[in-house]
Every structure is written in C-alpha cells, then in structure tokens.
Amino acid sequence: MTNIAELDVRTKVQDQAEPQAMTDGFHLVLDALKLNGLNTIYCVPGIPITDFTRMAQAERLRVISFRHEQNAGNAAAIAGFITGKPGICLTVSAPGFLNGLTALANATTNCFPMILISGSSEREIVDLQQGDYEEMDQLAIARPLCKAAFRVLHAEDIGVGIARAIRAAVSGRPGGVYLDLPGKLFSQTMEAQAGKNSLIKVVDPAPRQAPAPEAIKRALDLLKGAKKPLILLGKGAAYAQADADIRALVEKTGIPYLPMSMAKGLLPDTHEQSAAAARSYVLPEADVVLLIGARLNWLLSHGKGKTWGGKGHKDWGGQKFIQIDIAATEMDSNVRIDAPVVGDIGSCVSALLTGIGNNWSKPPAEWLAAVAERKNKNVAKMAETLARDPKPMNFHSALNVVRDIVKANPDAMLVNEGANALDFTRSIVDMYKPRKRLDVGTWGVMGIGMGFAVAAAVESGQPVIAIEGDSAFGFSGMEVETICRYHLPVCVVVFNNNGVYHGNDKNLGGGTDAAPTAFVKDARYEKMMEAFGGVGVYATTQAELRKGMEEAIKSRKPTLINAIIDETAGTESGRITSLNPAATLKK
Ligand code: OXT
Ligand code: ADP
Ligand code: MG
C-alpha cells in the first residue's frame, strides 16, 4: 500500500522535473516537408495557414507567395515536372482550395507530381453543414480530380500523411495529390521527441520498374522488321530524366524521331534525325512506331484516322505500335499496342539499349531519304517566311527574333501559351536542352503562363522567356507583381494582336459592344510591369523586340515586352481549327 508520505514525495519529484519539450502541428508539417527535401512552397496565405507560411520562411524554406492560388498551383505542378519531386502548393480553405484545384487537376492530367495542401474548416461543423467560415467538404471534391486525397486529423499522423502524399504523387504515373489539413490540426501539440519519431523520410519514393525481358524481346523483334520506323518522344520521356540513354537509343538505331511539344530539346531540335518538320509525312507513312512517354490521345489523333493514313477519321492507318509507359492501363487505350513495354522509361530504354547492342542495322536508306527530303522542303519554306520583315510584325517575324535569342541562350527556360502564339512558337523556336519548353500541355489550358514562369525561374535559376498570347497572358497577368517582388529573371513577351486568335472580329449584332474575341486596341501591357518596378518595352519592330529581349536576359530584370502583332495575322484556334464546332444550320 502507498502511504500519504510516499505520494507526497512523488508529486514533489514530478513538480521539479524538466518541462517536456513540445511541438505542434505547424512544426510537424514543416519538419516532415524538410525531412523529405521539399524546401519550396508556392502559396497564397490566409486563415488558417498564415502563420504556417511565416514559420516556413523562419525555418528557411523558400516561400513564394502569389496573388491567386491557380498560379501558385501551376507553379507547384511545373516544379514537379522540372525536378521530379512533388511541387507543394498551399492554400486556404474553400475558395482558395477551389482556385488551386484547377491546377491540381491539370497536373494530374499532365502526369506532373504535385501536392495541394489546403487548410480546411472545423470538421464537426462542416459535416453537419452548420455554416462554418469557408465551409466545404474539400476532400470529397478533390478526390475525383487527382490521383489520391488524404486528410490528417491528428498531429501524430502528420508524418504518415505527408509520406503517403509524396509516394502517391511520384510513384507509378506521376500526378496531383490533395492533402487536407483542418485548421485545428496546426495548433495541436505533442511531445517533441514523439513527434520527431512519427515523421517518415520516404525511401525510394518513385521505385524503378524494370520491364519484363519478354516485353523487351517482343519490342525489339518488331522494331527490327520495320521498313519505316519512327520514334515518338513525349513529355513522359522528358520527365524521366533518362536523357543520355534516350539520345543513345535514337542515335544507335538511326530511327527518325518526332518530339511532342514538351519533349522538344530532349535531343536538340537541330538534330539530323529530328522529323519534326516532316510531321504530317512521317505519321501516316511509318510502319512501326515506338512511343516513349507519349499517350495516343487527341494530340496524336488517337493513333488513327487520316493523320495516320487511315481512310476515315476513325480508321486504323496500319501502323504497329510499341509503347513504353509506366501505366499498364495506358496500353490499347485507343488502338492496339502490339508490343507494350511497361516500366519506368529509364529502365525500359536501358534494357532496349542492351538488346540493340552495337550492330543494329539502320533503317532502310529510302525511308531516311524520303523523310529528309520532306523535312528539308519544309525547313526551306519556313526559312523563306522567316526572312520577311513585315510591318506590323506577324507571328513569324516576331518569332524569328525569339528563335535567335533562344539559340543564343540554350539554358533559358521557355514558357509558352496562347493559340497562334503557342502553335507558331512550337514549330519556329528550336529547343536545345531537355525540359526547357513548358507549355499548355494535355488540356491546352490558358493560365499556366506566369505560374510556370515563376517556378521555372525559382527551380532552375536560369533566365525565363515567356511567349504569351495577349489573351493567354490575361489569365495570370497579375503575377507580374510576384515576378517583380522576388526579382525573378523573367522576360514576358506578350504577342499583342488585340484579341483571342486575332483582333479584327466584328460584333455580329451590329451593336457597340466589342466582339467576344476582341480586346481593347493597342493595350499597353508593358505598363503593368513598370507599375511594379520592372522594365516595360513597347516593340513594334524586330529590332526593338531583339533589343528588349537581349537586355532582359543580360540584366535579369523582370521585363515585359509588348510585341505588337498584325491583328489579322492569326487563325481561328491556331492549328486546331478543325476541333472548333462550326454551325451547320444557317440562320
Ligand atoms: O508537316 P506539316 O506540313 O503539317 O507541318 C507541320 C510541321 O511539319 C512543321 N514544322 C516545321 N517546319 C519547318 N521547320 C521546323 N523546325 C518545323 N517544325 C514543325 O510545322 C507544322 C506544324 O507542326 P506541329 O505543330 O508539330 O504540327 P501540328 O499538326 O500542329 O500538330 C498537331 C498538334 C495537335 C500536336 C499541335 O497542333 C498541338 O500541340 N496543338 C496544341 C494546341 C493547343 O493546345 N492549343 C491551345 C488551346 S486553343 C483554345 O482552347 C484557346 N482558348 C480557350 C481556353 C483555353 N484553352 N483554356 C481556358 C482555361 N479557357 C479558355 C483561349 C481563350 S486559345 C485561347 C486564347 C488565344 O488567344 P491568344 O491571344 O492567347 O493567342 P493568339 O492566337 O496568338 O491570339
Ligand atoms: P505528350 O503530351 O508529350 O504526348 P503525355 O502526357 O500524353 O505526353 O504522356 C506522358 C506519358 O508518360 C504518360 O502516359 C505517363 O504515364 C508516362 N510517364 C511519365 N513518367 C514516366 C516514367 N518515368 N516512366 C514511364 N512512363 C512515364
Ligand atoms: Mg491574341
């Protein structure tokens, strides 16, 4: 039996003991991110995460605070593409969360790894729908739009929550993950040592997946028998960071290759085996196509139809396909895949290289000659167009300048959005290094511009050139303040043709309102950059554009060049006019 005197002594000893060191939800989230090398946060502060952003900066994380969550989300997504680590976007609840959600869905669609972390309101009030501040069931809303969605309710589960989010974002096919952190979690406390022990440093977050030997053999057998082989490189190939092996595969086989938009530069666009300038020739003509990290989605006309030599718009063109992809379910999604190679691109390409050895026969000379002939013809035609110097500038003449600047600065990052401003840039501006071209991707989404530009500068430290349609720029234009605030070396070039596609549309009703696609004429976009201390340039000639870009790259000062383009120069929807439904009934 314990007597009163003994109890008294124990109580006294306890009273004199050191107070236990404590931690809280704020610090556990920060420590978990840091432990996993996630040191940059793209965010918009507010309840309940304001203090979190302050503490993150105090803990020496890089905190890039935006003017709108969609741009912060786009920044996180492209940071994921560039680095292979999940980009972190942090938002407030309900409206902030929803603003970030478009970027999360876009990241998932494009296979970019990112984690959207949003604060959320009080669970018991939200679940009873009692009308809390910014009430919303965020977890349920996010779930169908991303790869995985998790909520952490207790401080001791933060380590597991962050670990699960990291693994879900980068393993297998990369994508977006939502992590719901209720406001109350941040102030929960626990004993510091127990908190530390609860954190997880994720080991091998994106494990290699070696392909089966029989899959490699099947692929090589098919490739060996090809008379007109073609390699198609997609942004998955760029993401995989297997640059040297991919180049070796292309060069050892001697097969012509076609880069998808964001795979440009994986091998320099000037490479003699590039068939980019003969796209509409090689797709229908090829007999065996090796897809590396590219889906047969709309951008490749679903692998069938007239683009591929099929008779009707849904007819198979007769090609055999080899497809390398980490997602087994991607196979046969549009047409039959004769040789699926499932695994990570690094492992798959390296296994193919081993099988190819050093004595692989080059493709038949007639095929290479036919591709070269078509390519040279198109390149010569393009050179002729680029040599012109019209007044006002058109897309070609302005892009001729951009082409020279990128050639002189191959390490610069190139961000690109718009319709004509996108399509002409893709075919005119050569890229020289991998993962330098960042654009609208699988959805053709407008609004990625300034978010991508900020993250490209932050993650790479290189100068960034953003070629923006004037409409496209408007979706994220306010972030020029962010660019100025963080002194980022970003040169935004707005291709100002007074509107969406072109600026000369008329109001069909004859009223005084502008047409839906037309903007204020001769808008002075450069003044937006000047308003925040950056450099504004108004360029009506090639010489002015060239000078503005050269100075921007040299000075690394935030710069916006308002490049005045002939308002009649663009076409409806750029190169995808055929996707725009036209009225069949005339009124
Ligand atoms: O072989 P052929 O003869 O065919 O020739 C091809 C190549 O061989 C050749 N080529 C070359 N020749 C010589 N030398 C070289 N080096 C060379 N390289 C290539 O050139 C041609 C073309 O080659 P390409 O491009 O490879 O081939 P092609 O056939 O075009 O490829 C097909 C595709 C499908 C792969 C390609 O076209 C593609 O990638 N397209 C992407 C299109 C896209 O995503 N567009 C953006 C969306 S448009 C629309 O949706 C817009 N909106 C609506 C909206 C959106 N999107 N988002 C949101 C959130 N809200 C609304 C809006 C509002 S665009 C838009 C704004 C537009 O206005 P802006 O002011 O911003 O822009 P402007 O138009 O400039 O005014
Ligand atoms: P593009 O638009 O350039 O054609 P897509 O986005 O359609 O490219 O395709 C990218 C593909 O790459 C996706 O199917 C994705 O699963 C795949 N992918 C991404 N990363 C890897 C990787 N490391 N290994 C294998 N496949 C990958
Ligand atoms: Mg425009």
Side-chain angles (χ1 to χ4, degrees):
M1 242 186 102
T2 316
N3 63 33
I4 300 290
E6 269 175 10
L7 261 183
D8 202 22
V9 170
R10 271 194 219 162
T11 314
K12 275 194 183 136
V13 170
Q14 270 170 13
D15 284 346
Q16 287 159 9
E18 287 284 305
Q20 289 201 319
M22 302 298 284
T23 186
D24 61 13
F26 285 113
H27 289 94
L28 285 167
V29 176
L30 276 176
D31 290 347
L33 292 175
K34 277 204 299 192
L35 186 65
N36 286 287
L38 303 175
N39 296 317
T40 305
I41 295 177
Y42 300 96
C43 66
V44 175
I47 297 170
I49 52 134
T50 317
D51 264 355
F52 182 83
T53 58
R54 294 190 182 112
M55 289 177 193
Q57 206 167 40
E59 295 273 334
R60 301 282 191 273
L61 271 82
R62 189 90 200 266
V63 179
I64 307 290
S65 181
F66 282 73
R67 305 298 292 257
H68 190 288
E69 291 86 353
Q70 190 177 120
N71 307 319
N74 283 325
I78 209 65
F81 172 76
I82 297 168
T83 63
K85 293 198 285 186
I88 304 294
C89 174
L90 180 70
T91 78
V92 303
S93 31
F97 154 77
L98 285 174
N99 285 344
L101 198 56
T102 308
L104 185 71
N106 188 53
T108 308
T109 300
N110 281 282
C111 316
F112 300 155
M114 78 171 270
I115 303 173
L116 173 67
I117 303 179
S118 295
S120 59
S121 304
E122 279 203 46
R123 284 258 42 91
E124 54 270 40
I125 302 183
V126 173
D127 289 346
L128 279 171
Q129 299 183 17
Q130 293 175 306
D132 201 4
Y133 167 72
E134 295 194 349
E135 176 179 296
M136 177 171 280
D137 189 356
Q138 297 168 196
L139 189 70
I141 290 165
R143 192 157 269 147
L145 297 173
C146 58
K147 254 188 101 178
F150 306 104
R151 175 183 294 133
V152 181
L153 288 175
H154 301 290
E156 62 264 34
D157 294 329
I158 286 172
V160 169
I162 300 265
R164 299 214 72 190
I166 292 171
R167 280 202 186 278
V170 295
S171 63
R173 170 180 279 175
V177 174
Y178 175 60
L179 190 61
D180 193 87
L181 301 184
K184 272 187 179 171
L185 176 81
F186 292 109
S187 47
Q188 276 181 29
T189 55
M190 67 186 285
E191 197 260 308
Q193 190 56 44
K196 194 171 174 200
N197 293 344
S198 71
L199 301 185
I200 296 174
K201 183 166 168 49
V202 179
V203 177
D204 195 12
R208 294 208 135 211
Q209 279 177 235
E214 60 273 23
I216 293 295
K217 180 173 181 316
R218 201 184 293 120
L220 287 174
D221 287 349
L222 195 51
L223 207 55
K224 215 173 278 173
K227 301 263 178 304
K228 298 173 170 183
L230 176 69
I231 294 176
L232 242 157
L233 300 174
K235 60 171 124 53
Y239 173 77
Q241 304 205 9
D243 310 337
D245 273 2
I246 289 173
R247 184 168 185 154
L249 179 77
V250 170
E251 291 181 341
K252 280 192 169 178
T253 58
I255 297 174
Y257 74 93
L258 191 62
M260 298 299 287
S261 191
M262 282 177 60
K264 276 167 70 76
L266 203 39
L267 286 85
D269 279 337
T270 46
H271 196 284
E272 64 162 347
Q273 284 172 254
S274 169
R279 188 180 200 272
S280 60
Y281 176 73
V282 292
L283 291 183
E285 285 294 321
D287 61 352
V288 175
V289 179
L290 167 57
L291 297 156
I292 308 183
R295 288 169 284 186
L296 286 173
N297 57 14
W298 71 279
L299 288 156
L300 284 168
S301 307
H302 306 282
K304 57 194 167 196
K306 293 193 172 153
T307 306
W308 292 87
K311 283 205 184 76
H313 82 286
K314 280 200 155 185
D315 291 334
W316 177 51
Q319 291 81 7
K320 303 248 181 211
F321 287 101
I322 304 165
Q323 182 162 25
I324 301 181
D325 206 292
I326 201 149
T329 50
E330 187 55 40
M331 309 297 157
D332 306 324
S333 55
N334 285 277
V335 290
R336 178 173 54 242
I337 300 300
D338 303 274
V341 182
V342 176
D344 72 276
I345 286 167
S347 301
C348 294
V349 170
S350 139
L352 284 178
L353 270 175
T354 308
I356 278 163
N358 290 320
N359 300 312
W360 187 267
S361 311
K362 300 272 150 148
E366 308 85 77
W367 172 235
L368 299 183
V371 176
E373 190 198 330
R374 182 59 72 106
K375 172 178 160 176
N376 293 339
K377 214 184 273 173
N378 265 352
V379 169
K381 210 164 80 192
M382 170 89 84
E384 229 173 77
T385 320
L386 292 180
R388 297 190 195 117
D389 184 8
K391 308 268 170 347
M393 290 189 286
N394 61 17
F395 288 96
H396 285 89
S397 63
L399 284 167
N400 195 22
V401 173
V402 179
R403 178 182 160 101
D404 289 347
I405 302 283
V406 171
K407 186 174 181 187
N409 299 279
D411 286 313
M413 311 290 286
L414 184 78
V415 173
N416 188 202
E417 61 177 336
N420 295 281
L422 171 87
D423 292 339
F424 285 117
T425 306
R426 186 178 59 249
S427 52
I428 294 172
V429 178
D430 289 329
M431 303 305 299
Y432 299 87
K433 298 199 174 179
R435 292 172 295 283
K436 295 291 181 189
R437 189 185 151 83
L438 313 171
D439 68 27
V440 300
T442 308
W443 265 352
V445 66
M446 299 299 112
I448 48 91
M450 298 305 102
F452 277 18
V454 167
V458 167
E459 301 291 339
S460 75
Q462 297 292 339
V464 178
I465 298 166
I467 304 298
E468 300 277 311
D470 49 347
S471 163
F473 173 68
F475 286 70
S476 65
M478 190 62 203
E479 303 298 347
V480 294
E481 189 273 333
T482 310
I483 290 169
C484 288
R485 189 164 15 108
Y486 292 96
H487 309 288
L488 298 174
V490 176
C491 172
V492 183
V493 184
V494 176
F495 273 39
N496 186 357
N497 63 351
N498 296 337
V500 178
Y501 312 136
H502 40 75
N504 55 342
D505 263 4
K506 297 276 174 292
N507 178 337
L508 295 181
T512 52
D513 280 355
T517 55
F519 293 161
V520 165
K521 302 253 182 238
D522 202 23
R524 301 302 297 257
Y525 291 101
E526 76 282 8
K527 297 197 184 294
M528 288 176 67
M529 193 59 106
E530 287 170 0
F532 302 108
V535 178
V537 177
Y538 182 75
T540 59
T541 64
Q542 284 188 322
E544 286 164 353
L545 176 58
R546 190 179 299 276
K547 183 163 173 278
M549 291 189 77
E550 279 171 352
E551 279 175 8
I553 299 228
K554 199 160 147 231
S555 70
R556 292 176 69 93
K557 282 191 188 146
T559 301
L560 192 153
I561 304 178
N562 185 4
I564 307 303
I565 305 289
D566 180 354
E567 68 169 8
T568 66
T571 57
E572 182 88 7
S573 308
R575 296 267 308 167
I576 54 173
T577 312
S578 59
L579 297 182
N580 205 24
T584 42
L585 296 177
K586 300 273 176 259
K587 280 184 92 182

